[in-house]
Amino acid sequence: YAGDQVFRITPSDDEEVQVLKNILGHMKVDLWQPNTASLICKNATVDVHVKRNDTQGLHAHLKQQHIDYGVFISNLQKEIEKQTGYRSSRKRRS
Amino acid sequence: ESQYDYEVYHSLEEIQSWMFEMNKTQSHLVDMFSIGKSYEGRPLYVLQIGKRSRHQKKAVWIDCGVHAREWIGPAFCQWFVKEAINSYQYDSVTRRLLNQLNFYIMPVFNVDGYHFSWTTDRFWRKTRSKNHKFHCRGVDANRNWKVKWCEEGASSHPCDDTYCGPFPESEPEVKAVAKFLRKHKKRVKAYISIHAYAQMLLYPYSYKYATIPNFNCVELAAHNAVTALYSAYGVRYRYGPASTTLYVSSGSSIDWAYRNGIPYAFAFELRDTGYFGFLLPESLINPTCTETMRAVKAIASGLLKK
């Protein structure tokens, strides 16, 4: 998962919803929410995990279509490693 | 048990050996049994928590880990068992609950998927079954119940994350739980399924916009549960029918449970709302489980009053 990103996208109208469904439909993505692209609707947050090789393309598509988005996880592998860091930090404290 | 760390995530092997340990050391309150085997042949273990009684007690079912990558689920089920046992002596609410009810706790529903998410693919969500016609593996176990089969919010394509399986209960894990709940449906008065990511408490229906017949009772129970949850750390959970609060779907285990006569059926969507996604840090296991424990106790206490 090194370099993979999770995008947070909020389509603001039905046209953006259709564009987003179309973009994501042509990429192999892992939707975190909603569970499936058919459930994407306006003003509802879409969190999507995108492979490293596809991130630049998605950035470009979203900018080109003026769809509001942000990146809430910029390197997924780093976050995976952080998730289970509590055990070692507790040991260090004790 | 005191050595066990409930504030870190555990592998399937660790969780199963913890279950054996609980069964051995807490035999006055805990009983352990298997309800079947997974697709890959792993046992599907359930813990029964409650004071032994000569008469048949009413029961609450809680399953965790339907979706493999939602690791906070199994952590909560373990937390629940730990808290129930440890507070039995000094907390009158817990004592009353365990004296008068049995809790069936299934810490890891999707055992194959959970193991796979630990060892191979952190973001795996489905089971690991394979249909001989296709190369893709797995079914979304929560879309494999005979509710409204494979319509909106599900997929009939095996490579999709929301693939609902070749037929309802095609997954041995779902079949085993359905069989157990059917067998005990006269005693099981509440069904709770633990999920993650949205901070919500959902109840039927999820497959249609209609209101359930006992809406007022269930709505009140949900309101009391999220109020109790909020009282811990001020974390707000939305609550309501799954179809309108989250989205309409093909139907899930809560709809199935409700249709099979279990009057209180809930799905918890635990923390968080997307800051960590499925990677909720271990440091948040404690607060997440503490607040959820309050909510589950509120539901069970309301049930007892009924």
Side-chain angles (χ1 to χ4, degrees):
Chain A
Y1 293 111
D4 286 13
Q5 295 187 334
V6 180
F7 285 65
R8 172 159 280 196
I9 310 162
T10 311
S12 58
D13 56 35
D14 291 335
E15 196 186 331
E16 288 192 0
V17 168
Q18 283 315 313
V19 170
L20 188 58
K21 281 182 181 176
N22 195 29
I23 294 170
L24 298 180
H26 286 88
M27 300 168 69
K28 189 164 165 39
V29 295
D30 166 26
L31 271 167
W32 282 16
Q33 71 166 347
N35 280 311
T36 168
S38 65
L39 295 168
I40 294 174
C41 54
K42 67 178 177 186
N43 299 324
T45 303
V46 176
D47 291 338
V48 60
H49 160 204
V50 181
K51 288 277 174 207
R52 179 182 54 191
N53 293 341
D54 294 327
T55 56
Q56 287 313 314
L58 185 57
H59 279 289
H61 277 304
L62 294 171
K63 276 184 186 152
Q64 191 183 8
Q65 299 292 336
H66 306 290
I67 296 176
D68 188 30
Y69 78 99
V71 174
F72 92 80
I73 297 181
S74 58
N75 185 342
L76 205 49
Q77 185 60 33
K78 268 192 180 170
E79 294 305 314
I80 291 173
E81 286 158 15
K82 271 198 251 169
Q83 185 187 35
T84 51
Y86 198 51
R87 190 188 305 234
S88 52
S89 69
R90 271 156 55 99
K91 271 190 186 149
R92 275 200 303 276
R93 275 206 308 277
S94 67
Chain B
E1 183 268 333
S2 61
Q3 307 261 315
Y4 197 82
D5 195 341
Y6 291 91
E7 295 187 46
V8 298
Y9 296 111
H10 291 280
S11 67
L12 183 67
E13 291 77 11
E14 287 169 342
I15 293 172
Q16 289 183 340
S17 60
W18 166 85
M19 291 170 83
F20 279 105
E21 189 67 17
M22 282 287 151
N23 188 41
K24 197 169 79 182
T25 60
Q26 309 292 331
S27 56
H28 59 299
L29 286 174
V30 176
D31 198 10
M32 178 182 173
F33 53 90
S34 167
I35 57 169
K37 287 209 158 137
S38 70
Y39 177 81
E40 291 181 341
R42 294 184 175 86
L44 302 168
Y45 290 127
V46 172
L47 291 177
Q48 178 185 309
I49 317 292
K51 189 164 185 282
R52 292 177 193 285
S53 164
R54 260 183 245 155
H55 65 274
Q56 294 247 310
K57 289 155 76 179
K58 293 195 174 10
V60 174
W61 168 276
I62 304 176
D63 60 51
C64 298
V66 167
H67 294 139
R69 61 192 183 181
E70 296 168 6
W71 285 6
I72 187 63
F76 171 72
C77 266
Q78 293 189 277
W79 188 278
F80 180 90
V81 172
K82 178 258 295 185
E83 277 296 303
I85 291 168
N86 288 357
S87 63
Y88 181 76
Q89 292 301 329
Y90 67 83
D91 178 41
S92 60
V93 175
T94 302
R95 196 160 52 246
R96 194 165 64 247
L97 290 176
L98 297 191
N99 285 347
Q100 296 184 36
L101 294 169
N102 279 330
F103 289 84
Y104 295 117
I105 312 291
M106 188 176 197
V108 190
F109 184 116
N110 177 7
V111 285
D112 300 342
Y114 187 76
H115 178 71
F116 192 71
S117 83
W118 262 84
T119 55
T120 311
D121 182 351
R122 175 65 190 86
F123 296 109
W124 190 258
R125 58 167 286 158
K126 300 192 283 183
T127 60
R128 290 294 298 159
S129 62
K130 194 165 179 342
N131 184 327
H132 67 278
K133 286 185 196 161
F134 301 96
H135 68 281
C136 292
R137 278 182 184 266
V139 168
D140 180 342
N142 218 24
R143 288 172 164 81
N144 192 239
W145 303 81
K146 195 171 183 179
V147 189
K148 191 178 181 187
W149 183 240
C150 243
E151 292 182 25
E152 192 166 357
S155 168
S156 52
H157 194 285
C159 294
D160 290 344
D161 277 342
T162 52
Y163 175 51
C164 60
F167 57 88
E169 291 179 41
S170 62
E171 298 309 282
E173 301 83 1
V174 173
K175 200 177 184 67
V177 172
K179 187 179 168 197
F180 180 85
L181 290 173
R182 278 195 200 99
K183 190 176 167 191
H184 296 90
K185 72 178 181 185
K186 283 193 177 154
R187 293 193 294 113
V188 177
K189 297 296 171 190
Y191 169 93
I192 297 172
S193 190
I194 304 291
H195 296 254
Y197 208 134
Q199 292 181 190
M200 288 179 187
L201 177 54
L202 307 167
Y203 50 82
Y205 300 109
S206 53
Y207 66 97
K208 60 181 178 183
Y209 292 110
T211 304
I212 50 174
N214 62 338
F215 172 81
N216 288 343
C217 299
V218 174
E219 169 81 2
L220 180 64
H223 171 80
N224 291 340
V226 298
T227 304
L229 188 148
Y230 178 80
S231 71
Y233 301 103
V235 173
R236 288 191 193 280
Y237 272 45
R238 290 170 60 199
Y239 66 98
S243 57
T244 50
T245 311
L246 190 56
Y247 39 68
V248 71
S249 74
S250 59
S252 64
S253 61
I254 57 169
D255 299 289
W256 180 93
Y258 189 76
R259 182 183 280 181
N260 277 270
I262 299 174
Y264 292 86
F266 294 103
F268 274 90
E269 289 279 347
L270 302 188
R271 294 193 198 183
D272 62 11
T273 52
Y275 190 78
F276 297 107
F278 297 110
L279 299 173
L280 193 73
E282 289 176 325
S283 57
L284 295 179
I285 293 175
N286 184 329
T288 304
C289 293
T290 298
E291 65 193 12
T292 309
M293 187 78 196
R294 291 195 189 189
V296 172
K297 279 171 78 173
I299 290 171
S301 299
L303 194 69
L304 268 189
K305 277 186 196 158
K306 280 273 172 187

